[in-house]
Each structure stands twice: as structure tokens, then as C-alpha cells.
């Protein structure tokens, strides 16, 4: 058995690069990506042993059932095309954002599953016009001037450097999650999984 099965929820981090790196390891000949529509589905796949581990974006709460490896902080920010009316403002309030079309990446992920004070505050103030499950799609929509997107800042770094997106300064927004892997405590760690975890450590400088 030379393939590691990974369940992935909302590929908001560059795991595709890791998949390309994995075949270079003799003990890990590839990664089988099994998509999951939600964190609950990913956890179900782990319980059923359909996946060895899962990639998720979530907060830092601990679990009695799953072991976690935190990879990278993901701070969410609002971003718009340079032509958007809010792009030139030094500060933007949530109330001002609520008066424009907002694009989010999966309302279930962004608000409901985290269910903390930050997300409750956002959910009360903002009614998204577009609910796009693909983060790249949400970012491309914002580039085209369709609306304001809410995504992890690091995901948009390239577009910001190229001048295709502008990050809005919203002092009221404090929404941070962590990219992480989770593995069921009952899961036996195979040599293939160990090899892939070493790739993760190298990639994220852990």
C-alpha cells in the first residue's frame, strides 16, 4: 500500500504542491485526494477509515477523538477589485461592507461550523449575495468587480501584488482559523503517512 488517502475540505491551502512532491518519496508513491463537503464529512471519512487523515481549516479547539497538526494561520480579510468604490478608503466598517454585494466561500464553513463570536457577528451584519464553494472562484469573481470577497489573506497575496485585488482595512474584522491536518486517534500511522507528514513539516517549516 503506497498511497496516502487524504480527505480535503475547501482547498484553501496549497496542498496541490504537496501532492506533486509526494511521489518523490520512495515510501509515499502518491496522495489520493478525497474531497469532503464539510468538516463533519471529513471526520466521518476518518471514522470509517475511508481516509488516513484530513486537511481542514478550523479553530484551535482540541478534540478527544482526533489528533491535530496545525500547519498555518489563516487570517480572513475582505478584498475587492481596484475599481471598487471601497478600494481607496483607509478604513472600512462592516456596516459599509454590508451595503455592497459580498462573496463568501461556503457559508457553512465560514460561519456555521466555526460558531464563535467573530463569525456570529459577521453573520448578523452581512448577508452574502454569492455563496461560492470554491475559494479560487470567489477570488476570481472579486477580481472581475462582482463584489467583496472574504478569504484567507495569504490566498490572495499573488493577486494583491499584481494589483488585481486590494485588501480592505476593516478594524472590526478579527477572523482567524488554522490550516491543519486531523487524524483519528485509533488510526495506525503507516510509514507512508509518516513520509507525507515529513513533507508537510518541510513545506510549512514546522
Amino acid at each position: 500500500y503506497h498511497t496516502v488517502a487524504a480527505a480535503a475540505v475547501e482547498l484553501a491551502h496549497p496542498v496541490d504542491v504537496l501532492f506533486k512532491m509526494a511521489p518523490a518519496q520512495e515510501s509515499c508513491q502518491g496522495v489520493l485526494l478525497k474531497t469532503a463537503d464539510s468538516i463533519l464529512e471529513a471526520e466521518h471519512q476518518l471514522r470509517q477509515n475511508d481516509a488516513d487523515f484530513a486537511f481542514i481549516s478550523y479553530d484551535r479547539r482540541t478534540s478527544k477523538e482526533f489528533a491535530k497538526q496545525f500547519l498555518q494561520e489563516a487570517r480572513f480579510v475582505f478584498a475587492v477589485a481596484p475599481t471598487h468604490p471601497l478600494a481607496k478608503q483607509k478604513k472600512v466598517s462592516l456596516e459599509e461592507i454590508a451595503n455592497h454585494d459580498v462573496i463568501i466561500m461556503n457559508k457553512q464553513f465560514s460561519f456555521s461550523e466555526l460558531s464563535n463570536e467573530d463569525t456570529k457577528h459577521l453573520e448578523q451584519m452581512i448577508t452574502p449575495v454569492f455563496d461560492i464553494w470554491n475559494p479560487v472562484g470567489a477570488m476570481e469573481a472579486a477580481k472581475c468587480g462582482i463584489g467583496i470577497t472574504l478569504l484567507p489573506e495569504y490566498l490572495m497575496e499573488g493577486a494583491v501584488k499584481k494589483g488585481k485585488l486590494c485588501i480592505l482595512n476593516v478594524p472590526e474584522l478579527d477572523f482567524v482559523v488554522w490550516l491543519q491536518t486531523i487524524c483519528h486517534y485509533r488510526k495506525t500511522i503507516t510509514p507512508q503517512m509518516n513520509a507525507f507528514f515529513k513533507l508537510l513539516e518541510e513545506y510549512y517549516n514546522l
Side-chain angles (χ1 to χ4, degrees):
Y1 181 66
H2 297 293
T3 301
V4 175
V9 182
E10 304 300 349
L11 294 183
H13 44 95
V15 293
D16 57 321
V17 177
L18 300 173
F19 297 158
K20 294 175 183 177
M21 293 168 58
Q25 301 292 314
E26 292 182 1
S27 57
C28 182
Q29 295 300 317
V31 176
L32 174 63
L33 176 61
K34 301 165 69 70
T35 58
D37 291 337
S38 68
I39 294 173
L40 291 177
E41 184 181 335
E43 291 178 344
H44 177 72
Q45 290 187 25
L46 296 178
R47 292 188 187 99
Q48 298 300 313
N49 204 29
D50 292 331
D52 297 316
F53 62 94
F55 286 104
I56 65 172
S57 298
Y58 206 55
D59 59 27
R60 293 181 66 93
R61 71 184 75 175
T62 58
S63 169
K64 294 181 179 180
E65 190 176 8
F66 300 101
K68 294 185 173 186
Q69 171 67 60
F70 297 104
L71 304 175
Q72 180 179 333
E73 181 184 271
R75 180 171 296 277
F76 277 66
V77 295
F78 287 106
V80 295
T83 55
H84 193 278
L86 298 180
K88 303 300 181 184
Q89 290 190 200
K90 291 184 178 180
K91 290 184 180 180
V92 179
S93 68
L94 287 178
E95 185 177 356
E96 288 176 297
I97 287 176
N99 291 326
H100 293 266
D101 290 344
V102 177
I103 309 161
I104 66 166
M105 181 190 70
N106 184 355
K107 183 175 181 179
Q108 183 182 19
F109 157 72
S110 298
F111 297 142
S112 304
E113 286 193 350
L114 287 174
S115 187
N116 57 31
E117 292 305 314
D118 298 327
T119 56
K120 287 178 183 176
H121 184 48
L122 285 171
E123 190 171 16
Q124 289 169 359
M125 292 199 66
I126 296 172
T127 302
V129 175
F130 301 100
D131 183 356
I132 299 176
W133 283 69
N134 187 306
V136 176
M139 184 166 57
E140 291 301 316
K143 287 181 186 178
C144 294
I146 293 176
I148 305 170
T149 190
L150 176 64
L151 288 171
E153 184 173 14
Y154 75 87
L155 186 66
M156 299 183 284
E157 287 177 350
V160 172
K161 288 179 181 178
K162 293 178 181 178
K164 295 182 178 181
L165 283 177
C166 298
I167 302 296
L168 300 181
N169 177 20
V170 185
E172 298 168 82
L173 180 66
D174 185 16
F175 182 11
V176 178
V177 296
W178 283 82
L179 307 179
Q180 55 194 275
T181 60
I182 61 172
C183 182
H184 202 284
Y185 277 120
R186 295 198 305 267
K187 178 70 180 180
T188 300
I189 305 299
T190 65
Q192 292 79 20
M193 291 173 65
N194 264 329
F196 193 73
F197 288 151
K198 286 181 180 179
L199 286 174
L200 286 175
E201 290 175 358
E202 292 174 9
Y203 187 85
Y204 287 102
N205 296 315
L206 300 178

